[in-house]
Amino acid sequence: MEYLKIIAFTHKHIDLKALGKLVICEQTLDDRLRNIQSELNIKEIFYVGTCNRVEFIFTSPSQLDKSFISRFLHVLDMGLPEEYMENFIANVSTYEQVEAFNHLLRTSCSLESLVVGEKEILAQVRRAYEACKVAGFTGDYMRMIMNRVVKTAKEVYTHTNISRNPVSVVSLAYRKLRELNMCGNSRLLIIGAGETNNNIAQYLKKHKYSNFSVFNRTIEKAESLAKELNGKAFHLDELANYKEGFDVIITCTGATEPILTPEIYTSLLNGETGKKVIVDLAVPNDTALEVRENFPIHYIEVESLKEVARKNIQERYDELVNAEHIIEENIKEFDAVLRQRRIELAMSEVPKKIKEIKEKAVNTVFADEINSLDDEAKAVLEQVISYMEKKYISVPMLMAKDILVKNS
C-alpha cells in the first residue's frame, strides 16, 4: 500500500455549504480526473462526492504536502476564489499507505459518516468506484482495494449492531417533517429525482402521502419517480410557471446555484401567505438565503440535523469498537493478499515462457527426432511434455506462495 493516497474534504472540518463548492458534476468529472492523472503522475484514481464529503482516492509516489494539495486543487479547476482555495487547503485531511486504507474502510463502514451506521455510504462509494472504473481511471490495484472494502463493510453490518435501526440523514429529515403533523393530502413538490429524494419519497409513500409533483432536469427520471408515487412529472424548467400551489417542498439537486430563488418561490406561492415547509437536502443548498430569511417557512436542512447525528454517534460508541476490530483484522489479511497478488503478477510470464520453450523444443531443437517416432511414441511423448509443462508452471507458484506464508 506504499502509494495509496487519499485527499478528503469532510463535514468534520469544513462547513457543508462551502463543501458543496467542491462537488463535481457528472458532465465534467472525466475531464477533471483526466487532467489530474496526466499532470500529477497519478496512475489510478476515483472520486467520491456525497452530501458531507468530497474525497479523492488514488495512487501516487508524491508526498501529500501543502504544495501538492494546492497544485491538485488548481489542476482540478473548480473556478473557486483564492480565499476558498486557502480555506480548503487549510482544512484538508490527507491519508497515506495503511492509514489511507484504514480511512477508506472506516468511511465505507459508516464510521466516518455524519450519522454512524447509515448504509448509504457503502453504496455511494461503490457507485463512485464503478463509474471511474468504467471510464478507465482505475485498474487491478483499486479492484483489489474495493473488493476488500466491500467484504469488510458487509462483515461490520452483519456482525455488529452499528446499523441496527439506522438513522440516516434522510430518515432524520423525514422525522423532522413528521413532527410538523402534515396531513395526508398535503401538496408536495419534489425537486430532483436522485437517490436522496427517491429514498425520502419511499417514507412519504409508506405513510400514505399521495399528492406529489416531481420536477427534474431529466424528464424520464421525473416520470419514473412520479409514476411510483402516482404523481405528476415536470421538467425542471417548468418550476417557474407552476401555479397549482404547495405545502411542502422537498429538494435535492446537484445544482451549484440556488434553485429556489425569491422570484421562483414567490411564483410558486401564487398569492398564498401561509407558512410552508422546505426540506432542503442539497449541498450546496437549493434554497436561496433570501427565501429562508424573508418568507415564513419551516426549514429543514442537513446542517440542522448535526446535533441529532452527534447523539447517534454517542449511542453507538460500543459498536464502533467492534467495527474497528473487524477493520483491523481485514487490514492484516489484506496485506498478505496484496503480497500474494504481487507474486502472481511477477510470475504471470512464467506460463508463457514455458510454452515458448516447449514449442521450440518440439518444433525446432528435437523436431527431427520427434518426426522419426511412430504415432504411439509421439502420443506418449506429448503426454509426458504436457505433464512436465503443468508442473513447471504450478510448482514455482506454489513455492513462492509457501515462502510468502512462512515469512508473513
Side-chain angles (χ1 to χ4, degrees):
M1 286 178 272
E2 182 181 359
Y3 294 136
L4 183 63
K5 309 283 167 64
I6 296 178
I7 293 175
F9 305 92
T10 75
H11 62 92
K12 292 185 176 182
H13 304 292
I14 299 173
D15 178 81
L16 291 178
K17 293 180 178 64
L19 187 61
K21 296 185 180 298
L22 280 176
V23 175
I24 305 174
C25 67
E26 264 183 50
Q27 291 80 2
T28 65
L29 178 60
D30 285 5
D31 287 339
R32 295 186 194 280
L33 293 187
R34 201 167 286 114
N35 289 341
I36 290 288
Q37 269 191 323
S38 62
E39 296 195 31
L40 294 176
N41 189 27
I42 288 174
K43 186 177 180 182
E44 298 185 45
I45 185 170
F46 72 96
Y47 155 87
V48 176
T50 73
C51 62
N52 52 37
R53 69 180 60 254
V54 169
E55 303 200 9
F56 299 88
I57 301 93
F58 59 95
T59 57
S60 171
S62 302
Q63 183 180 350
L64 294 188
D65 54 19
K66 184 176 180 180
S67 174
F68 182 89
I69 304 299
S70 176
R71 191 172 171 216
F72 190 99
L73 286 175
H74 281 92
V75 173
L76 199 60
D77 190 22
M78 297 296 288
L80 299 173
E82 199 57 40
E83 59 266 26
Y84 271 101
M85 298 288 275
E86 291 173 1
N87 177 51
F88 289 135
I89 293 170
N91 292 285
V92 68
S93 299
T94 60
Y95 307 89
E96 302 187 58
Q97 301 177 11
V98 175
E99 186 183 14
F101 189 41
N102 181 57
H103 171 75
L104 182 57
L105 291 175
R106 288 177 58 86
T107 298
S108 301
C109 294
S110 85
L111 273 62
E112 298 288 341
S113 294
L114 187 62
V115 180
V116 170
E118 53 90 8
K119 291 184 178 181
E120 289 93 335
I121 184 62
L122 176 61
Q124 289 168 335
V125 171
R126 290 180 75 173
R127 280 195 298 274
Y129 164 74
E130 288 296 334
C132 290
K133 174 186 172 185
V134 169
F137 292 112
T138 67
D140 186 64
Y141 182 71
M142 285 298 181
R143 176 190 63 78
M144 294 184 66
I145 290 286
M146 281 306 300
N147 284 347
R148 182 59 54 160
V149 163
V150 173
K151 174 183 178 295
T152 305
K154 286 182 176 178
E155 288 179 7
V156 167
Y157 294 134
T158 300
H159 300 300
T160 76
N161 291 324
I162 200 165
S163 62
R164 187 73 55 85
N165 300 318
V167 186
S168 67
V169 169
V170 168
S171 62
L172 283 171
Y174 180 70
R175 287 185 185 187
K176 289 282 188 183
L177 182 60
R178 289 283 289 177
E179 287 171 8
L180 298 175
N181 297 316
M182 306 301 299
C183 61
N185 63 350
S186 296
R187 299 162 296 173
L188 293 103
L189 304 189
I190 297 182
I191 304 173
E195 180 185 6
T196 298
N197 277 356
N198 267 275
N199 287 341
I200 202 167
Q202 297 310 311
Y203 284 100
L204 294 163
K205 181 181 177 182
K206 180 179 178 181
H207 289 90
K208 309 304 180 184
Y209 289 93
S210 57
N211 192 345
F212 295 95
S213 296
V214 182
F215 295 80
N216 196 63
R217 280 197 173 86
T218 305
I219 189 63
E220 290 80 8
K221 288 187 176 181
E223 290 170 345
S224 176
L225 181 55
K227 182 179 179 181
E228 191 172 342
L229 298 172
N230 196 27
K232 302 175 184 176
F234 302 88
H235 193 279
L236 188 58
D237 291 342
E238 299 179 66
L239 187 65
N241 302 314
Y242 184 79
K243 300 299 181 184
E244 296 180 32
F246 72 96
D247 299 298
V248 180
I249 293 176
I250 298 171
T251 183
C252 184
T253 74
T256 54
E257 297 295 331
I259 297 290
L260 293 173
T261 62
E263 296 77 18
I264 287 181
Y265 189 74
T266 300
S267 174
L268 289 171
L269 287 172
N270 197 26
E272 295 183 19
T273 58
K275 197 169 188 177
K276 306 294 184 180
V277 179
I278 298 178
V279 180
D280 189 342
L281 300 181
V283 179
N285 295 126
D286 283 336
T287 309
L289 181 61
E290 295 83 354
V291 173
R292 287 175 265 161
E293 291 181 342
N294 300 326
F295 292 87
I297 61 172
H298 292 287
Y299 187 62
I300 300 168
E301 62 168 337
V302 173
E303 192 74 28
S304 68
L305 304 175
K306 275 187 172 181
E307 183 56 35
V308 180
R310 280 193 285 269
K311 290 179 181 178
N312 176 276
I313 291 173
Q314 185 60 42
E315 290 170 0
R316 301 184 182 190
Y317 179 77
D318 289 342
E319 293 307 311
L320 292 181
V321 175
N322 296 332
E324 285 169 348
H325 177 70
I326 292 173
I327 289 172
E328 183 180 341
E329 289 302 309
N330 271 276
I331 290 175
K332 290 178 181 176
E333 288 176 14
F334 186 69
D335 184 56
V337 170
L338 197 58
R339 283 187 284 166
Q340 182 172 312
R341 181 58 177 163
R342 284 179 183 150
I343 288 174
E344 290 173 355
L345 291 174
M347 300 189 70
S348 60
E349 289 294 305
V350 171
K352 179 182 174 183
K353 295 295 183 184
I354 289 176
K355 287 182 184 296
E356 288 176 357
I357 293 170
K358 172 190 171 183
E359 293 300 320
K360 184 176 181 180
V362 171
N363 298 318
T364 305
V365 180
F366 300 104
D368 293 340
E369 290 87 342
I370 291 173
N371 287 333
S372 67
L373 299 174
D374 58 38
D375 290 343
E376 185 177 350
K378 284 182 181 178
V380 172
L381 180 61
E382 177 60 33
Q383 289 178 344
V384 172
I385 292 175
S386 296
Y387 175 81
M388 295 296 292
E389 179 186 1
K390 290 176 184 177
K391 291 300 179 181
Y392 279 130
I393 290 172
S394 63
V395 169
M397 188 72 74
L398 291 172
M399 290 178 67
K401 289 181 179 179
D402 187 51
I403 292 169
L404 174 65
V405 170
K406 289 179 180 178
N407 290 338
S408 58

